[in-house]
Amino acid sequence: VKKKHTSVTFGHNTIDAVPNIDFYRQTAAPLGDKLIRPTLSELHDDLSVSFCLQEPFEDGFANGDELTPAEEAAAKEASEPKGAVKFGWIKGVLVRCMLNIWGVMLFIRMSWIVGQAGIVLSCVIVLMATVVTTITGLSTSAIATNGFVRGGGAYYLISRSLGPEFGGSIGLIFAFANAVAVAMYVVGFAETVVELLSVDCIMTDEINDIRIVGTITVILLLGISVAGMEWEAKAQIFLLVVLITAIFNYFIGSFIPLQSKESQGFFGYDSGIMMENMGPDFRGTESFFSVFAIFFPAATGILAGANISGDLSDPQLAIPRGTLLAILITGIVYLGVAISTGSCIVRDATGNDNDTHSAQIMANCTDAACKFGYDFSSCKSGNGLYNCRYGLQNDFQVMSIVSGFGPIITAGIFSATLSSALASLVSAPKVFQALCKDNIYPGLEMFAKGYGKNNEPLRGYILTFCIALAFILIAELNVIAPIISNFFLASYALINFSVFHASLANSPGWRPSFKYYNMWVSLAGAVLCCVVMFVINWWAALMTNVIVMGLYIYVSYKKPDVNWGSSTQALTYHQALTHSLHLSSVEDHIKNFRPQCLVMTGYPNSRPALLHLVHAFTKNVGLMICGHVRTVSNHRRRPTGVVSLGCSDLCFLKAAGLGRLRPNTLVIGFKNDWKDGDMMNVETYIQMIHDAFDYQYGTVVLRLKEGLDVSHISEQGVHTHSNTFVPNDMILLPTHPHTHAKTLPWQTTNLISMSVALGTLNVADQRLLDASQLFKRKQGKGTVDVWWLFDDGGLTLLIPYLLTNKKKWNDCKIRVFIGGKINRIDHDRRASCVQTFDRFCVVTAFEEMIEPYRLKEDDMEQDTAEALKASEPWRITDNELELYRAKTNRQIRLNELLKEHSSTANLIVMSMPLARKGAVSSALYMSWLETLSKDLPPLLLVRGNHQSVLTFYS
């Protein structure tokens, strides 16, 4: 809901508003209504005008009758769903992250990692993983505090930073990874249950038992999730209590050595055991990186809190505080378990109480267990293999042996697996729902719908359940597990890269309140995540990158209709500005000349042929800027009417800060109807050409005998179907500083590709429509005839060369016509314009054409003639007509030669005749152009600025 804001400002009723945070909310912001500050026009324009333009106040309040702060707060509270559950940083982020990070790795793999890598390298592994997650946590905190965070977790953070391409690709695989992670954790739980019950209770066989237990478990978890976030949060709290109890149970047990446990390798804390376990003892194919790869997935739970960002009461506070504290606590616990297990448990033990040694051989015993009276040397066989069941290297359940009460460790394993599964079961639908709401992938809108007070994604829950159940029934996740870990790591890499990218762009919109981040540290974190991906599994890393890039290309191709102010846009501007400034410091060189065209299209859909042709020779080569001369009414300065704007109002572009990207060529359409209109428009038209030459622009005029302007047909209501109109290399600019952005029709206008029913248009309009699409079609085998009569620097040659390099024109051959001594056209007997009856008729037709525009000063008083010439400067004087008669005859003869040699050309490109400013009237110059170009195929009149654009030197 949008509301106009009114207030009492400094004791007076006014629509001018004091600063208010509600003015800065996005339209779809969930907190409160969006208030609209008064526009500049409402405050600045004349009262009569602004009063008519004002919209009625939707809330019904007049000036000064605004809501009090208490009423506004009540309105915001009322706008939220009744009974919506929102979590603080402890329950919403800290608890979830701790449960996900600890996981089963803590109880059934940490001791084995210490046995393989030793205490020192195990601590290094934990610290390396913690560094990666800490950097990612800092980056996440920076993004989360840069503005209001809605639901969607990692997808929301990445998409709003890097744009829909990266966000859409990561969002899909991140949601899928969480859905499959549910199956991983549930299968881990089911395997533990089946192992415990295998002695007394086997339903079918081990694989099917895992499937049965897993299916029952995931159904129960789905029920908890569907019941609502409050029930899910309560379950997570209970599971955390069980998990913490299990951890304390282990540490308490480690201080209570029992003789009954010594044969299994547990002797209590001992310096000898610590020193023996200090270094690595990699066995089989294991190495430091393989062990690290096994441990790192334990650290992939740091986004568990951010994934439910939409359910947090204050995401900007909760995400940084909860995530970073969870990383700190879990990291300390992992280090503590690594040091503890390495200090009180030996690597190998037989479990046999009779494996003691006599005092006679005690002197030769070097193992740490020897001083406790045990000889475990039998664990190592003669071929170097180990065959014992107990100790750090052999028993995954060694922490149960050490603990004060073993079943509590089992309960902790259950708690770790179920909590992780529950968190993933909630995260996947939330992320997927946010992705579907943005409509990045067509066809997924049905999963955007939410239900209940918390907008629960019930359809997403069902989809996640189905995916998880499918992988549970496979019951073999060893292959998929590395891919899932890589999916998470890809998300972390892009979060880190987002911070680096946003900082590099240096956009004023990047101002996170969380200051403990660094762009280079974030970049290092992104690189580390990519390295870890390949360390864990190189083929899974490659597959992840292929999937991400495939989705990125798909989203880029589809171009979703979203604009989130991403850092990609900011960096594009920054780079464009930097390169423009760099270009400005380098002198122009002929070899680097590119046509940068200011095309006077009017509204771009008014003259599609002009647009298509210029786009053809500027695409991927130069620049095309569409300009439109508007007429505006300004009653303050000119109460009587309308101001007509000429090219001088346009050419502010030359000095408007575009640097080397400023236009260097003016392109206009020929005024076919100039004889039927107001001659002051002709004066403005010719003045535009003079202005272009004054600014050292090249000038190009396109003439089609059918005409160019189809706007009158569009206004008749002809039905159209269209394709995308704006080329990638085209800039659309209004040409007057008072133009309002919201009044520019071409911002959402498409090129007209008309399909007209028979009888709808007259013959002339039908031909005009057909001609408007002439340059959009593939040009068949034909010619582009270049009549290079005057050396203008080479623009007359360059344009057809660029044109025929394009696919639609590459079947056309270029023919170049060059005049010798141009005066021979006037003096050669065969070329004389008055020797034959036909040419006499042509000259007579020219005289008749210009007759209405002659001044005829000899037939009136001098003062009268001067006054008429001053009021109508376009008129042709008798002296002027006689002075330039030879040049007039030249245009007549050139038209004859064009008809003789180029009547079948696909396009004629010809040097445009010049008229000296102040000496040749607009009517005479326009008559020259008319005579030269009439009744011909499509014709481009080109005149460069007489600076070289071609060179023959490398």
Side-chain angles (χ1 to χ4, degrees), residues 588-650:
D588 281 325
H589 194 280
I590 299 172
K591 290 190 295 184
N592 294 326
F593 175 85
R594 295 169 182 267
Q596 297 176 169
C597 300
L598 173 59
V599 189
M600 302 305 299
T601 58
Y603 296 139
N605 65 326
S606 299
R607 295 170 178 84
L610 184 63
L611 196 68
H612 288 146
L613 182 64
V614 179
H615 177 57
F617 66 79
T618 57
K619 182 180 181 182
N620 298 328
V621 174
L623 178 69
M624 177 164 65
I625 302 176
C626 283
H628 174 42
V629 179
R630 303 187 68 217
T631 56
V632 295
S633 175
N634 193 330
H635 58 278
R636 287 193 195 89
R637 291 181 236 172
R638 301 177 190 256
T640 57
V642 175
V643 181
S644 181
L645 304 177
C647 186
S648 7
D649 293 278
L650 281 175

Side-chain angles (χ1 to χ4, degrees), residues 407-471:
I408 295 181
I409 298 295
T410 303
I413 296 174
F414 289 168
S415 173
T417 53
L418 292 177
S419 62
S420 298
L422 191 57
S424 297
L425 185 57
V426 170
S427 297
K430 296 281 186 182
V431 173
F432 194 59
Q433 182 185 36
L435 177 66
C436 296
K437 281 183 178 179
D438 290 334
N439 197 25
I440 301 296
Y441 298 101
L444 300 180
E445 299 87 350
M446 61 176 295
F447 294 102
K449 183 175 176 58
Y451 297 86
K453 58 188 179 183
N454 265 48
N455 197 32
E456 296 290 348
L458 297 185
R459 296 175 179 177
Y461 283 132
I462 301 300
L463 179 62
T464 303
F465 167 78
C466 293
I467 295 173
L469 184 61
F471 283 96

Side-chain angles (χ1 to χ4, degrees), residues 794-950:
L795 186 64
T796 308
L797 274 183
L798 180 63
I799 288 177
Y801 166 76
L802 296 175
L803 195 63
T804 53
N805 275 343
K806 299 303 167 63
K807 186 177 180 180
K808 290 181 180 178
W809 288 85
N810 59 9
D811 289 337
C812 294
K813 294 182 179 180
I814 295 179
R815 297 194 305 172
V816 180
F817 296 81
I818 299 178
K821 293 182 178 179
I822 195 66
N823 290 334
R824 292 185 60 186
I825 296 179
D826 304 310
H827 299 297
D828 192 299
R829 181 177 182 84
R830 292 174 302 163
S832 173
C833 296
V834 291
Q835 292 298 311
T836 66
F837 177 76
D838 289 339
R839 293 193 186 125
F840 176 77
C841 292
V842 171
V843 173
T844 302
F846 181 83
E847 296 289 344
E848 292 176 353
M849 178 178 65
I850 65 172
E851 182 67 22
Y853 314 116
R854 295 180 60 182
L855 182 62
K856 299 180 180 179
E857 65 271 24
D858 294 340
D859 298 339
M860 63 183 71
E861 296 291 334
Q862 182 177 355
D863 293 343
T864 305
E866 291 177 353
L868 182 59
K869 180 66 175 176
S871 63
E872 298 179 350
W874 43 267
R875 287 195 175 274
I876 306 170
T877 66
D878 294 340
N879 181 57
E880 173 190 1
L881 186 60
E882 185 61 32
L883 181 64
Y884 293 105
R885 184 167 299 280
K887 197 165 186 177
T888 300
N889 292 337
R890 187 181 306 158
Q891 312 313 316
I892 296 173
R893 177 56 182 155
L894 284 173
N895 180 261
E896 293 174 346
L897 292 174
L898 287 168
K899 290 178 179 177
E900 180 181 348
H901 297 285
S902 298
S903 59
T904 60
N906 294 56
L907 178 69
I908 301 172
V909 181
M910 186 173 192
S911 296
M912 184 171 70
L914 283 182
R916 189 172 297 278
K917 184 170 62 172
V920 178
S921 63
S922 299
L924 181 58
Y925 188 29
M926 199 70 197
S927 300
W928 288 350
L929 300 181
E930 167 72 24
T931 301
L932 175 64
S933 60
K934 70 177 180 178
D935 300 327
L936 289 171
L939 175 71
L940 270 185
L941 294 173
V942 180
R943 175 67 72 152
N945 63 0
H946 287 247
Q947 296 178 6
S948 296
V949 299
L950 300 175

Side-chain angles (χ1 to χ4, degrees), residues 243-409:
L243 193 58
I244 292 176
T245 302
I247 293 173
F248 275 107
N249 177 49
Y250 161 75
F251 280 108
I252 291 172
S254 67
F255 287 98
I256 309 175
L258 298 176
Q259 188 174 358
S260 60
K261 299 180 181 180
E262 290 180 350
S263 63
Q264 298 176 5
F266 172 55
F267 297 98
Y269 291 102
D270 180 76
S271 59
I273 296 176
M274 174 182 280
M275 295 307 298
E276 184 178 78
N277 291 335
M278 196 64 71
D281 182 21
F282 297 112
R283 298 180 183 177
T285 60
E286 301 298 342
S287 64
F288 174 80
F289 289 108
S290 67
V291 173
F292 175 78
I294 291 172
F295 172 78
F296 189 83
T300 58
I302 61 171
L303 295 181
N307 286 339
I308 63 163
S309 53
D311 297 299
L312 301 175
S313 57
D314 187 359
Q316 293 177 304
L317 172 69
I319 292 176
R321 184 178 294 180
T323 303
L324 294 175
L325 186 57
I327 293 172
L328 176 64
I329 294 174
T330 54
I332 291 174
V333 170
Y334 271 117
L335 288 173
V337 170
I339 296 172
S340 173
T341 54
S343 300
C344 64
I345 309 170
V346 296
R347 281 191 166 102
D348 298 287
T350 61
N352 188 349
D353 292 333
N354 297 323
D355 284 339
T356 57
H357 57 75
S358 62
Q360 297 173 346
I361 61 173
M362 185 174 182
N364 297 325
C365 185
T366 59
D367 292 339
C370 293
K371 69 177 181 180
F372 296 101
Y374 282 86
D375 181 12
F376 297 138
S377 59
S378 61
C379 288
K380 186 174 183 180
S381 60
N383 57 5
L385 299 178
Y386 292 83
N387 51 19
C388 289
R389 293 178 50 200
Y390 297 96
L392 295 174
Q393 289 272 26
N394 311 301
D395 188 6
F396 291 154
Q397 302 287 342
V398 70
M399 288 183 68
S400 297
I401 298 173
V402 176
S403 65
F405 185 61
I408 295 181
I409 298 295

Side-chain angles (χ1 to χ4, degrees), residues 549-568:
M549 291 309 299
L551 293 173
Y552 178 91
I553 293 171
Y554 172 79
V555 177
S556 300
Y557 175 77
K558 297 296 290 186
K559 290 183 174 58
D561 186 20
V562 294
N563 184 2
W564 296 318
S566 66
S567 61
T568 303

